[in-house]
Amino acid sequence: MKQQENQTQQGKQQQISFELIKESQSGMQLSPDFLVIYGLRGKTEISIGGRKYEIETGGLMTVAPFTYLDYDCAKGSNFSVLHITEEVLRVADARSIARIWCYVRDADPGLQDSYDRIRRKYAQMFALFLQNGSQREIRMFACATELLGDLAAYFSSSEPVIMQQAGSETFERCVRIMNYIHAHWREDISIEQLAAQEYVSAGYLSRFFKKFTGITFTEYLVDFRLQNACRDLERTTDTVTKIALANGFKNTNSFIKYFREKYEITPNRYRRQTTAKLLQEENRTLEYPAENADKRDHLPVGKAMPGASAERPEDDNGIPMLLRYAETLEEPVTPPACSAETHLIFLNADTEGAPFTHAWRKLLNIGYARYGLLAEVQQQILQAQEEISYEYVRFHGILDDDMFVYHEDEKGQPYLDFSRVDLLLDFLLRSGLKPYIELGYMPWLLAKNPVRIFDRNSYISTFNREERWRFLISGLLTHCMKRYGRDQVVQWRFTTTGCNSAASGIVSTEDYLHLYQVTRNCVKEADARILFGGPGGWASGVRDAESIQKLFFTWVKEHDCVPDFICTQCYPHHSIQADEAFWQLMLSQEKAPSMLSADIHYLKNIIIDYKKLLADSGLSHLSLWIEEWNSTIWQRDLSGDTCYKA
């Protein structure tokens, strides 16, 4: 059986990771990641779509995201799996990834040069994975980019590997189904539930699922549950009954029945055998240093591994041979010495102090509402809550079309579906978070001038029918108060989409202000105690001569719709007017330089400017919430998520 880290747990640590499959293990894999499999020693049989492939020592194989595979690692065999997440693929701009197909045996003569180059890069990434240091993640990303480029150059097929005969709509359905299963596999889910969510019959979805994966829905769900149950048997002392119920089985008898059918052994006997085997391995294993403790469970013992401070006993697992190909790995670059300044600070310890505000624990951003339904994202949220403990959670797109909230029937009558909203809010509230809800973007059916952003089904627009927008907002608030209680909802915060759309001319200023007013009034009509904020948008706009924020503050006072708090987003642009093309480039996600401010104290100074504007507008009593901030808005900019801004 396969001992592996659950994929969601890997994802919450890093975007590029390695997994080792040990000898005499078999199992299944259906990962959202792009996989590169390398044979360390012996022979492994992998089945994909009814075809069988042999991975021998030195063999290489790529597996596209959401591809179902079975593997059987023979005795005396090992293979490693490189996981590259969708986010890395997107950042690396690897758009041709669906056409990569690489299956190379070590003896293939015609591919030797290109294969050697890819194997060398793979080995370098593995060596980096075992190391520590501030530059490790950046260097691994650079290696991954080069590896993907080489694979695309040398091993591109003429047809897409993913869903060769299916369109994008079909693949999106597969992704939705798999994401739902991976998020709810512990619960009592059925093909009928999935079919209802996809608006198809259970029979159709059953045939669709088998065509996509090669097995039935029930077989896949049971296999996935069994795989996780095996990990619990190996790593916990929980009873078989507790493990059965925790992994979605209705009772102990059904769990034991499925387990024996799959592995020809009872769960208790499996636990005894794996425990004995682990003890044998520990007797010949030297511990990793403390800083590598997170890799101890799924990386084997080899000799002379980079980054390790102690020698390990001889163990022919194939890793030392792989690491020899990484000998060309450059030594870490030593950063230049920095000049230092000394400042003396004197404090009077006798004076009465004040509580220190942990501002960084106030608000957590998770991107889009749809992402909050993904199991990997939910695992990251749970980890953030455990280690930091945030108060609010913010996201875009609760009304986006991929949340399937707003619909119109064949007669054009509107109706609302909050099933996905409920799944998201239920999870966030269980995690101890209060929702900070941006009421947007605009559903396509209601968009007056739909401008699609970020290659998503998100539309920046005002409404084309005010009464339908009121129906949507009022319906959402009423539903939330019925489901969670009025006293709970009044603790949340609400805003509408930011004023950037008006500042850039995508919507008119009049339309934006009307959208804000109507949305705010709907929220206040639901309960006057609910806090509603505005105007959002980039803080740098306050420095422009024709600032949308200045106009907004004047207008809301005149129309008696002042927000309860001020919200803004801080990216260090000198001003929006100085960077006119940036908005359009950002919407299309094109790579282009942006004009950033040279002020190293930009955040502090822009807050000073913003508070001055509030004071001049007679609104200094309102709190200022910075919803977003970073070095740039570009997701491809590594400085945004490394120690440069940490």
Side-chain angles (χ1 to χ4, degrees):
M1 282 302 302
K2 171 184 169 185
Q3 289 175 300
Q4 69 173 45
E5 291 293 324
N6 184 283
Q7 194 58 41
T8 57
Q9 287 196 337
Q10 287 181 355
K12 71 180 182 178
Q13 295 294 335
Q14 48 210 162
Q15 301 297 332
I16 302 170
S17 59
F18 282 87
E19 174 185 8
L20 179 75
I21 310 301
K22 300 179 181 179
E23 62 177 314
S24 303
Q25 295 179 357
S26 60
M28 45 82 78
Q29 179 90 251
L30 197 152
S31 172
D33 303 335
F34 180 78
L35 309 180
V36 184
I37 298 172
Y38 181 83
L40 293 169
R41 64 167 180 164
K43 183 184 295 184
T44 298
E45 187 176 90
I46 295 178
S47 299
I48 299 177
R51 293 191 59 183
K52 294 185 177 180
Y53 304 89
E54 288 186 347
I55 303 294
E56 300 178 346
T57 303
L60 199 71
M61 184 179 193
T62 59
V63 180
F66 287 105
T67 300
Y68 182 85
L69 63 88
D70 284 298
Y71 61 84
D72 186 6
C73 195
K75 186 175 181 179
S77 302
N78 295 78
F79 69 93
S80 62
V81 184
L82 167 62
H83 288 259
I84 303 177
T85 65
E86 179 190 4
E87 182 177 345
V88 175
L89 299 177
R90 188 169 59 248
V91 172
D93 204 21
R95 298 177 182 176
S96 59
I97 206 71
R99 295 183 179 274
I100 292 179
W101 168 242
C102 176
Y103 173 55
V104 181
R105 300 188 180 191
D106 195 28
D108 289 357
L111 302 170
Q112 196 62 48
D113 290 342
S114 54
Y115 165 69
D116 285 345
R117 178 181 174 88
I118 290 169
R119 177 169 56 181
R120 187 161 55 249
K121 195 61 61 179
Y122 188 98
Q124 289 177 358
M125 292 182 67
F126 192 91
L128 281 167
F129 184 70
L130 298 178
Q131 293 180 359
N132 289 287
S134 60
Q135 299 183 21
R136 191 189 84 162
E137 297 299 327
I138 295 177
R139 299 178 75 206
M140 282 190 69
F141 177 83
C143 282
T145 303
E146 293 182 26
L147 177 67
L148 292 169
D150 288 342
L151 285 169
Y154 302 131
F155 296 99
S156 287
S157 66
S158 58
E159 296 293 334
V161 177
I162 303 175
M163 303 299 292
Q164 292 191 27
Q165 297 178 351
S168 59
E169 184 177 345
T170 302
F171 184 68
E172 285 298 320
R173 170 170 288 166
C174 297
V175 173
R176 289 196 301 272
I177 292 171
M178 290 306 168
N179 284 340
Y180 185 84
I181 294 174
H182 288 188
H184 301 280
W185 57 273
R186 295 181 186 273
E187 304 167 14
D188 184 17
I189 59 176
S190 65
I191 192 73
E192 288 77 15
Q193 287 175 300
L194 275 172
Q197 290 201 24
E198 292 296 320
Y199 303 103
V200 296
S201 69
Y204 171 83
L205 192 62
S206 180
R207 294 189 298 272
F208 176 90
F209 190 93
K210 186 167 185 179
K211 180 180 179 181
F212 174 54
T213 65
I215 63 174
T216 67
F217 168 81
T218 301
E219 288 172 336
Y220 176 75
L221 181 60
V222 169
D223 280 358
F224 191 74
R225 286 170 170 171
L226 287 174
Q227 183 171 289
N228 286 279
C230 286
R231 190 178 63 254
D232 290 343
L233 288 167
E234 295 164 4
R235 301 181 184 183
T236 74
T237 57
D238 293 343
T239 65
V240 170
T241 299
K242 185 175 181 180
I243 290 174
L245 298 178
N247 285 281
F249 293 95
K250 292 184 177 179
N251 52 59
T252 308
N253 289 337
S254 66
F255 171 53
I256 295 174
K257 172 180 174 290
Y258 284 123
F259 200 96
R260 294 190 69 168
E261 288 177 354
K262 178 75 174 179
Y263 306 122
E264 299 180 348
I265 193 174
T266 64
N268 276 324
R269 190 174 178 186
Y270 171 82
R271 169 177 270 168
R272 289 195 296 271
Q273 288 184 358
T274 53
T275 301
K277 186 175 180 181
L278 287 172
L279 288 173
Q280 290 176 359
E281 290 182 354
E282 286 178 3
N283 289 335
R284 59 187 177 86
T285 299
L286 217 62
E287 285 281 6
Y288 276 61
E291 62 269 20
N292 283 331
D294 60 321
K295 310 183 188 74
R296 189 180 299 136
D297 287 341
H298 60 286
L299 287 177
V301 178
K303 56 179 182 177
M305 287 190 181
S309 60
E311 294 184 359
R312 295 169 175 77
E314 186 77 27
D315 185 31
D316 184 20
N317 54 26
I319 289 182
M321 179 65 73
L322 172 62
L323 291 175
R324 291 176 190 172
Y325 296 106
E327 291 177 355
T328 58
L329 190 65
E330 300 175 358
E331 291 298 319
V333 178
T334 302
C338 299
S339 58
E341 296 181 6
T342 302
H343 297 271
L344 295 177
I345 300 176
F346 296 93
L347 300 176
N348 185 352
D350 295 328
T351 59
E352 184 177 352
F356 182 69
T357 302
H358 294 182
W360 59 88
R361 296 172 60 181
K362 199 72 174 176
L363 183 66
L364 170 68
N365 275 282
I366 62 170
Y368 287 83
R370 177 71 180 83
Y371 299 161
L373 298 176
L374 302 179
E376 183 174 307
V377 174
Q378 291 187 354
Q379 289 291 338
Q380 294 175 21
I381 292 171
L382 290 173
Q383 183 186 15
Q385 280 301 88
E386 181 180 348
E387 297 179 2
I388 301 175
S389 184
Y390 290 93
E391 182 177 357
Y392 288 91
V393 59
R394 176 178 174 268
F395 44 86
H396 301 291
I398 196 170
L399 304 178
D400 276 0
D401 289 335
D402 61 9
M403 290 296 286
F404 300 98
V405 175
Y406 182 83
H407 307 267
E408 294 179 3
D409 61 21
E410 61 276 5
K411 296 181 180 180
Q413 295 302 307
Y415 66 95
L416 306 176
D417 180 355
F418 298 112
S419 56
R420 280 181 166 81
V421 173
D422 292 346
L423 287 172
L424 174 62
L425 296 181
D426 288 355
F427 167 75
L428 296 176
L429 291 170
R430 285 198 308 269
S431 305
L433 288 159
K434 301 174 188 175
Y436 182 114
I437 299 177
E438 180 186 81
L439 294 170
Y441 291 99
M442 188 65 62
W444 183 81
L445 289 171
L446 294 182
K448 179 179 179 180
N449 50 337
V451 174
R452 192 162 173 254
I453 60 171
F454 306 139
D455 295 326
R456 288 179 43 83
N457 289 328
S458 298
Y459 297 95
I460 289 186
S461 173
T462 187
F463 44 72
N464 54 24
R465 288 163 292 178
E466 181 178 326
E467 73 284 357
R468 295 287 173 93
W469 179 252
R470 288 180 177 273
F471 170 77
L472 173 57
I473 300 302
S474 299
L476 174 64
L477 268 294
T478 301
H479 173 78
C480 288
M481 287 189 288
K482 285 183 178 179
R483 184 175 180 86
Y484 304 109
R486 187 177 294 270
D487 291 340
Q488 170 66 249
V489 176
V490 296
Q491 299 179 54
W492 304 356
R493 289 177 182 260
F494 292 83
T495 68
T496 187
T497 50
C499 61
N500 291 331
S501 57
S504 61
I506 290 180
V507 301
S508 69
T509 302
E510 293 75 15
D511 280 349
Y512 170 76
L513 294 172
H514 187 51
L515 171 67
Y516 163 84
Q517 183 183 40
V518 170
T519 308
R520 176 195 175 277
N521 290 346
C522 285
V523 171
K524 291 297 183 179
E525 287 166 6
D527 194 307
R529 295 174 296 168
I530 298 177
L531 299 179
F532 191 88
W538 295 322
S540 54
V542 301
R543 293 177 172 175
D544 290 334
E546 300 296 330
S547 167
I548 182 66
Q549 285 91 342
K550 296 176 185 176
L551 177 62
F552 175 85
F553 296 143
T554 301
W555 190 89
V556 295
K557 291 179 68 177
E558 292 175 351
H559 291 77
D560 194 25
C561 55
V562 174
D564 299 301
F565 63 95
I566 304 300
C567 54
T568 190
Q569 301 152 18
C570 186
Y571 298 97
H573 310 290
H574 180 68
S575 71
I576 293 179
Q577 289 180 345
D579 200 5
E580 291 182 11
F582 177 72
W583 174 251
Q584 294 298 335
L585 291 170
M586 185 195 69
L587 293 182
S588 63
Q589 289 289 277
E590 296 179 30
K591 294 179 179 178
S594 177
M595 298 176 63
L596 301 183
S597 171
D599 182 4
I600 62 173
H601 299 297
Y602 180 88
L603 180 60
K604 179 183 74 172
N605 291 332
I606 199 70
I607 291 175
I608 292 173
D609 291 347
Y610 211 118
K611 287 188 173 182
K612 183 178 184 304
L613 175 59
L614 288 174
D616 294 343
S617 303
L619 300 174
S620 58
H621 61 286
L622 299 179
S623 60
L624 177 62
W625 284 61
I626 300 179
E627 301 174 323
E628 302 174 15
W629 73 279
N630 217 319
S631 51
T632 75
I633 202 167
W634 295 112
Q635 296 178 6
R636 297 182 178 91
D637 192 331
L638 285 177
S639 72
D641 295 308
T642 54
C643 56
Y644 171 73
K645 291 300 283 188

